[in-house]
């Protein structure tokens, strides 16, 4: 028989009274945006990007005689324009509705100052979480936005997604898809990879044991190197970046084929695999965002992606100094609320088509 009748006494829980008593969900170790893009800062208005090409005219048809005929040189000139769009948001917190009655209350100021949350554990915690969300926002804007997201591609955007998060500008992938469509040499075609991406369900999109034995990704990488422009091959800032799905598949192929490889986690949170003279970077952030924003209820939109590019060829233009995590935090006594504000200007450009090679 129990010493105490559990129905006669209310044994209440011991409540925690500080943030240190809570288990805080770990954040993803996202790479810095500058690990993927160069920054062009201080753009206050549309700014021209001019491209001067190679000479289109062949030289050397003269025979060296007197009064030679002159050739007429022709050099192609094109342009793009930095046009940063404004992106902003505001969060506000009230001590009575957001903090009172929680363990954060123990860290509040006293008396009438209790409503001023600045400097409290609650404000510090929210600043950390807001900074993490802003970091992912910039990656989403830079890679996945599409000004036509409201209408195309049909059925791709996850149901219920607020399109305002996706249609601010044309991000890098929107531009890369256009480059591949206009210049087939820049898109390495592999029928198995394309078949997996086109799968009707998540199960259909997974790589199979047969894919592993056929070394599908190994073959794609081999094709990728053969297809790339010589100027990309000679780049000093060459990056081969892939989704986690592709990285895992490649490692599996090497492992079961008994091919030697090494892996390393860089300080910026990027995993690197090196084999046969190839360095492959795993970019798990792509996988997470594709699953979150581009899932039609049955399958994801192009979950397996490979991009080889010169880092100096993908740029972000901004009105500010390139610090995308800056928050304006202030307390307004009028309504007794603390506000987190931010406003940034951002644009993305893939500069020269020949300095990218991709497969998807």
């Amino acid at each position: 028989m129990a010493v105490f009748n559990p129905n006669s006494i209310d044994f209440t829980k011991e409540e925690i009274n500080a943030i240190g008593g809570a288990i805080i969900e770990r954040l993803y170790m996202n790479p810095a945006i500058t690990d993927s893009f160069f920054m062009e800062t201080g753009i206050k208005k549309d700014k021209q990007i001019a491209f001067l090409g190679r000479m289109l005219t062949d030289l050397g048809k003269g025979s060296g005689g007197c009064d030679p005929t002159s050739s007429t040189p022709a050099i192609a000139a094109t342009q793009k324009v930095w046009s940063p769009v404004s992106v902003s948001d505001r969060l506000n917190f009230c001590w009575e509705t957001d903090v009172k009655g929680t363990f954060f209350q123990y860290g509040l100021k006293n008396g009438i100052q209790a409503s001023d949350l600045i400097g409290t554990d609650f404000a510090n915690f929210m600043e950390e979480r807001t900074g993490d969300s802003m970091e992912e926002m910039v990656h989403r804007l830079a890679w996945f936005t599409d000004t036509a997201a409201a209408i195309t591609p049909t059925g791709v955007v996850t149901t219920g997604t607020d399109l305002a998060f996706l249609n601010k500008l044309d991000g890098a992938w929107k531009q890369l898809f256009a480059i591949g469509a206009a210049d087939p040499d820049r898109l390495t075609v592999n029928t198995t990879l394309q078949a997996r991406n086109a799968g009707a369900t998540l199960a259909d999109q997974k790589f199979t044991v047969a894919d592993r034995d056929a070394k599908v990704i190994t073959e794609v990488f081999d094709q990728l190197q053969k297809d790339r422009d010589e100027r990309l091959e000679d780049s000093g800032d060459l990056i081969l970046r892939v989704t986690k799905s592709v990285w895992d598949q490649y490692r599996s192929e090497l492992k079961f084929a008994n091919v030697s490889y090494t892996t390393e986690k860089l300080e910026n949170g990027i995993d690197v695999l090196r084999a046969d003279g190839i360095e492959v970077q795993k970019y798990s952030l792509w996988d997470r965002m594709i699953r979150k924003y581009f899932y039609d209820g049955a399958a994801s939109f192009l979950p397996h992606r490979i991009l080889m590019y010169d880092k100096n060829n993908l740029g972000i233009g901004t009105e500010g100094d390139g610090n995308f995590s800056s928050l304006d935090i202030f307390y307004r006594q009028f309504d007794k609320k603390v506000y987190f504000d931010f406003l940034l200007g951002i644009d993305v450009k893939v500069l020269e088509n020949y300095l990218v090679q991709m497969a998807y």
Side-chain angles (χ1 to χ4, degrees), residues 255-275:
K255 177 181 177 181
F256 280 86
N258 292 317
V259 176
S260 177
Y261 66 90
T262 61
T263 61
E264 177 185 3
K265 183 178 286 294
L266 304 182
E267 290 183 4
N268 56 11
I270 295 177
D271 287 338
V272 173
L273 187 155
R274 299 180 179 90

Side-chain angles (χ1 to χ4, degrees), residues 56 80 113 125 179 286 355:
L56 302 177
K80 294 183 179 181
Q113 296 298 319
F125 174 74
I179 289 171
W286 284 349
L355 290 180

Side-chain angles (χ1 to χ4, degrees), residues 226-243:
K226 293 175 181 176
D227 293 344
R228 64 185 176 181
D229 189 283
E230 293 174 51
R231 290 165 289 184
L232 177 58
E233 184 178 354
D234 295 336
S235 167
D237 289 294
L238 185 67
I239 295 175
L240 176 55
R241 189 161 286 171
V242 303
T243 55

